[in-house]
Amino acid sequence: MSAPNTDVTSLASAALPMPVPAEEYDSCPVTDVVRLMSDKWSMVVLVLLGRRSHRFNELHRSIDGISQRMLTRTLRGLESSGLVLRQVRPTVPPSVEYGLTPLGQSLLEPLSGLAEWAVRNWPEIAAARNRVPTS
């Protein structure tokens, strides 16, 4: 729901103007968070960091197919959104560890609900995608 509708507790009951103004949709907090989570790597990084803190190379080795550059960009995006905390340890050489902030931790429960829904409904979604369209 958009900035004017931030007090709405249910997505299904949100009153939306028709047509939905593009600027309202673009400035909506829900749209912003969904875009952040729909990044290819953000959810897996959040899930791994939700289990425990990781050093960069350890995190990189834990995610098959992600480049160092993309992991850096993903971590920076999550950090700038307040979900990930980057901690530099005063060792020689300095080590960097990534973990979730309390805000990031609070996102795991709703993400888990979405994951449960997706797994439960995946057969129906897959079947719908495989149906031959009738004309």
Side-chain angles (χ1 to χ4, degrees):
M1 284 92 4
S2 64
N5 296 317
T6 55
D7 61 333
V8 175
T9 58
S10 169
L11 186 65
S13 65
L16 293 174
M18 292 298 171
V20 176
E23 63 277 357
E24 185 170 329
Y25 176 76
D26 288 338
S27 66
C28 176
V30 176
T31 301
D32 186 53
V33 171
V34 168
R35 284 183 181 142
L36 179 64
M37 292 299 95
S38 67
D39 168 278
K40 183 174 181 178
W41 303 108
S42 290
M43 288 215 340
V44 71
V45 168
L46 287 171
V47 169
L48 288 171
L49 294 179
R51 294 178 179 164
R52 64 178 176 79
S53 295
H54 286 73
R55 291 178 62 176
F56 182 88
N57 285 332
E58 179 183 24
L59 197 54
H60 185 244
R61 285 189 302 270
S62 299
I63 305 171
D64 189 34
I66 191 170
S67 67
Q68 287 187 353
R69 180 174 184 257
M70 188 51 66
L71 179 56
T72 298
R73 289 180 64 187
T74 300
L75 287 166
R76 284 183 183 160
L78 294 171
E79 184 181 11
S80 71
S81 297
L83 302 175
V84 168
L85 178 64
R86 179 182 186 267
Q87 294 182 322
V88 180
R89 304 278 184 213
T91 59
V92 178
S95 65
V96 178
E97 199 168 89
Y98 295 89
L100 292 185
T101 63
L103 182 63
Q105 281 287 344
S106 73
L107 182 57
L108 294 177
E109 185 176 345
L111 284 179
S112 294
L114 177 60
E116 290 169 12
W117 180 90
V119 169
R120 185 174 57 249
N121 291 286
W122 180 248
E124 187 175 345
I125 293 167
R129 289 179 178 167
N130 290 326
R131 281 190 212 117
V132 177
T134 56
S135 359

